[in-house]
Amino acid sequence: MEETRTRTAQGLTTLPTETVHAIVNPVAGSGRPARAWPAVRRRLESLGLRVEEVHTTEPGAGIALARQLVERGARELLVIGGDGTVNEVVNGCVDAQGQPIGPVTITIVPCGTGRDFPRLFGIVRPEQAVDLLRYGQRCRVDIGAIRFRACDGSSRQRYFVNMADIGLGAETAAWVSQSTKQLGGFLAYLVGAMRTILRHRPAELAIEIEGTTVFRGPALMVALANGRFHAGGMRIAPMASVTDGKLEVFALRHVSRFALLGSLLPAVYRGTHLAHPAVEHWTARRVTVRSVEPVRIETDGEVVGTTDIEAWVAPKALSLRVPRGACDGSA
């Protein structure tokens, strides 16, 4: 998209010309878009932008909407929702080989429950979208790709921007998605994690990194991290980068519920869990996880299917508007 120079009180800035397309998930974050998005839209229009808005009407609708818009020539997409909405839009913008289907840039207007992916870049308020379009920079970031077993038994492929996990995390995400989200991301996921810990059983898993088996045995959870945060602020992967072409892989061995609730859960929120003897960590470009029985998996907070899975990195597949200086994801 061409850009035009616009004089503002703060100096010479750049704005996308003509039209930006907004994909709104009206039910994200217990209806937060209805409260936050109209004011953001008015500010964008006051700057001379034309905003064309479409709404998702059911789970998965964001994929089709994004693909239609990009194929029709959209170059700037605003995503108004949570990590799940961002996930859908990205899946609509990338082809089966991990390549963008068009030169489109995404700006996130965080209105969901977890908001873990935009948190990487210091994007925590909906109104920041205005400054991202005026002063932000385009950043090429990695996304994860995962092949898994769908509910009908078929093999499916999906991309994730932030994190995928198997077992405990997926069970927590399933509970949160079916419960009230009025508590907000932090409390919703904390309550969900505590409830799941009291019920969850370990599964027999085998993990391969670059074709070599590195783990075999009972595990409560396996996390595949592109970003650092998860489940409303848990610091699952404090070392992760969305620009290094790698996934951080974690396995949680079987431990008692007392250890999970008393030491590991608090440590995950602080990012100090890596020192615990039950936590295993590897870095990988490609990882395979197999299980004796199907185990639930989730991507960016949405349950999508079960094991077995194969996951890898699609490098620099996504163009994202972020604050200046935040392109390495370390903001």
Side-chain angles (χ1 to χ4, degrees):
M1 175 179 289
E2 295 180 357
E3 292 190 342
T4 184
R5 295 282 182 178
T6 304
R7 180 69 63 179
T8 72
Q10 298 185 24
L12 199 62
T13 67
T14 60
L15 281 171
T17 59
E18 299 179 354
T19 302
V20 295
H21 293 83
I23 298 178
V24 182
N25 179 356
V27 300
S30 297
R32 190 175 289 113
R35 301 188 295 273
W37 165 240
V40 174
R41 174 171 180 154
R42 286 193 296 270
R43 287 190 62 192
L44 293 173
E45 290 173 333
S46 74
L47 295 172
L49 291 174
R50 182 167 68 248
V51 180
E52 293 191 1
E53 179 177 329
V54 293
H55 287 207
T56 62
T57 56
E58 59 185 358
I63 299 174
L65 288 172
R67 188 164 297 270
Q68 291 167 8
L69 288 171
V70 175
E71 288 177 344
R72 292 173 185 172
R75 294 297 176 259
E76 295 282 344
L77 289 183
L78 273 67
V79 184
I80 299 89
D83 290 337
T85 312
V86 175
N87 178 289
E88 290 190 4
V89 170
V90 169
N91 273 273
C93 293
V94 181
D95 66 20
Q97 287 71 49
Q99 298 298 313
I101 64 172
V104 63
T105 298
I106 289 174
T107 300
I108 300 174
V109 185
C111 290
T113 302
R115 292 166 282 173
D116 288 300
F117 185 61
R119 194 192 312 269
L120 283 172
F121 308 97
I123 303 170
V124 295
R125 302 183 309 278
E127 59 270 20
Q128 284 178 265
V130 178
D131 283 342
L132 289 175
L133 286 168
R134 297 168 76 188
Y135 310 118
Q137 66 179 111
R138 288 188 179 95
C139 182
R140 303 292 313 190
V141 302
D142 307 330
I143 59 175
I146 187 167
R147 188 173 294 117
F148 58 93
R149 184 184 302 165
C151 296
D152 61 5
S154 64
S155 177
R156 301 281 179 87
Q157 180 176 312
R158 192 177 180 102
Y159 296 102
F160 60 95
V161 295
N162 189 55
M163 195 167 300
D165 68 50
I166 299 162
L168 183 61
E171 296 297 333
T172 299
W175 182 85
V176 171
S177 68
Q178 296 170 8
S179 68
T180 177
K181 299 181 181 180
Q182 295 287 351
L183 294 173
F186 173 81
L187 285 177
Y189 280 104
L190 177 60
V191 172
M194 294 174 68
R195 286 174 57 95
T196 304
I197 285 169
L198 294 174
R199 295 165 171 78
H200 190 60
R201 298 286 187 275
E204 288 290 329
L205 301 178
I207 303 173
E208 294 180 8
I209 302 291
E210 324 296 1
T212 299
T213 300
V214 297
F215 177 91
R216 189 184 300 275
L220 291 164
M221 176 178 173
V222 175
L224 314 174
N226 186 41
R228 298 197 307 272
F229 302 105
H230 182 54
M234 291 182 183
R235 298 177 182 269
I236 288 279
M239 76 297 291
S241 167
V242 293
T243 58
D244 67 354
K246 301 174 184 177
L247 296 173
E248 304 299 332
V249 182
F250 302 87
L252 175 60
R253 293 181 178 273
H254 181 35
V255 294
S256 70
R257 294 184 179 91
F258 178 79
L260 278 173
L261 291 169
S263 61
L264 269 168
L265 186 59
V268 168
Y269 279 101
R270 297 190 300 267
T272 59
H273 56 291
L274 295 176
H276 197 285
V279 177
E280 302 274 4
H281 171 230
W282 308 270
T283 299
R285 287 183 170 84
R286 185 172 291 268
V287 56
T288 301
V289 181
R290 296 185 173 88
S291 61
V292 176
E293 299 291 336
V295 183
R296 265 182 173 171
I297 68 167
E298 62 92 7
T299 59
D300 296 329
E302 304 296 324
V303 177
V304 294
T306 65
T307 52
D308 296 343
I309 69 100
E310 183 179 11
W312 62 97
V313 179
K316 306 293 191 288
L318 176 64
S319 176
L320 188 71
R321 285 193 182 269
V322 302
R324 291 199 176 274
C327 192
D328 62 355
S330 62

